[in-house]
């Protein structure tokens, strides 16, 4: 269960869309979340990873080093 407060303008747009199409506001809110959730995950998890690298909390390895460690050098 999720409850969110939306600015009046967004709430009105959502309400209008729902009335004009015969779908529920919940349907459109769910669609918006599902459409953008993967992008949000990618962005925020990548930003977290970059911050950890910059703080020295995570190591960075070159592709050359990874190939060597896996025995894949040419």
């Amino acid at each position: 269960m999720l409850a969110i407060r939306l600015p009046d303008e967004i709430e009105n747009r959502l309400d209008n869309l729902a009335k004009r199409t015969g779908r529920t506001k919940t349907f459109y809110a769910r669609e918006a979340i599902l459409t953008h959730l993967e992008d949000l995950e990618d962005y925020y998890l990548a930003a977290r990873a970059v911050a950890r690298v910059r703080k020295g909390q995570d190591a960075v390895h070159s592709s050359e080093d990874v190939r060597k460690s896996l025995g894949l050098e040419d």
Side-chain angles (χ1 to χ4, degrees):
M1 179 65 165
L2 174 69
I4 59 172
R5 296 192 189 278
L6 298 171
D8 289 341
E9 179 185 352
I10 301 297
E11 180 75 28
N12 290 337
R13 289 174 61 191
L14 189 57
D15 191 48
N16 186 43
L17 178 62
K19 286 177 183 174
R20 293 180 70 184
T21 61
R23 297 215 183 237
T24 64
K25 292 189 292 184
T26 299
F27 171 84
Y28 288 112
R30 184 183 306 114
E31 285 297 302
I33 291 169
L34 292 174
T35 298
H36 297 285
L37 184 58
E38 185 174 351
D39 291 339
L40 291 169
E41 288 170 333
D42 289 346
Y43 176 81
Y44 286 104
L45 294 175
R48 182 174 179 263
V50 167
R52 290 184 58 81
V53 167
R54 288 184 176 153
K55 290 178 184 176
Q57 296 171 329
D58 285 341
V60 177
H61 306 279
S62 71
S63 60
E64 182 180 345
D65 290 341
V66 172
R67 283 193 302 272
K68 284 181 183 178
S69 71
L70 295 173
L72 301 173
E73 58 269 62
D74 294 330

